[in-house]
Amino acid sequence: MKCPVDGNTLVIADRSGVEIDYCPQCRGVWLDRGELDKIIDRSAAAATPPPAPQGDYRGGYKKKKRGSFLDDIFDF
């Protein structure tokens, strides 16, 4: 394929199972049908936080009082 911007030949790269066409000259990126959806699905799965720990933990969690940002820097 040719780059629609400058006419150079596009290079195909495989990134985590998604084929990405890019132009080495202008650095433009083109995706085929469905490739953007794959990227969005994979980034959403990677951004999901891990589940909270479960079980009978009797030690409990103490809530940390919200202080100033200096409390994080100077821990005393």
Side-chain angles (χ1 to χ4, degrees), residues 15-36:
R15 299 282 192 239
S16 301
V18 178
E19 284 188 356
I20 297 172
D21 301 318
Y22 72 94
C23 176
Q25 184 65 33
C26 72
R27 300 180 57 109
V29 175
W30 287 268
L31 303 171
D32 295 332
R33 182 183 299 259
E35 291 176 341
L36 180 60

Side-chain angles (χ1 to χ4, degrees), residues 7-64:
N8 285 316
T9 302
L10 296 178
V11 178
I12 299 174
D14 185 88
R15 299 282 192 239
S16 301
V18 178
E19 284 188 356
I20 297 172
D21 301 318
Y22 72 94
C23 176
Q25 184 65 33
C26 72
R27 300 180 57 109
V29 175
W30 287 268
L31 303 171
D32 295 332
R33 182 183 299 259
E35 291 176 341
L36 180 60
D37 293 331
K38 287 181 187 178
I39 293 170
I40 292 170
D41 291 342
R42 291 180 185 174
S43 66
T48 304
Q54 295 179 350
D56 188 20
Y57 180 72
R58 298 194 185 268
Y61 294 101
K62 292 183 179 180
K63 282 189 171 181
K64 184 178 177 184

Side-chain angles (χ1 to χ4, degrees), residues 63-74:
K63 282 189 171 181
K64 184 178 177 184
K65 278 177 58 175
R66 184 172 174 101
S68 73
F69 71 94
L70 294 174
D71 292 340
D72 294 332
I73 297 172
F74 304 106

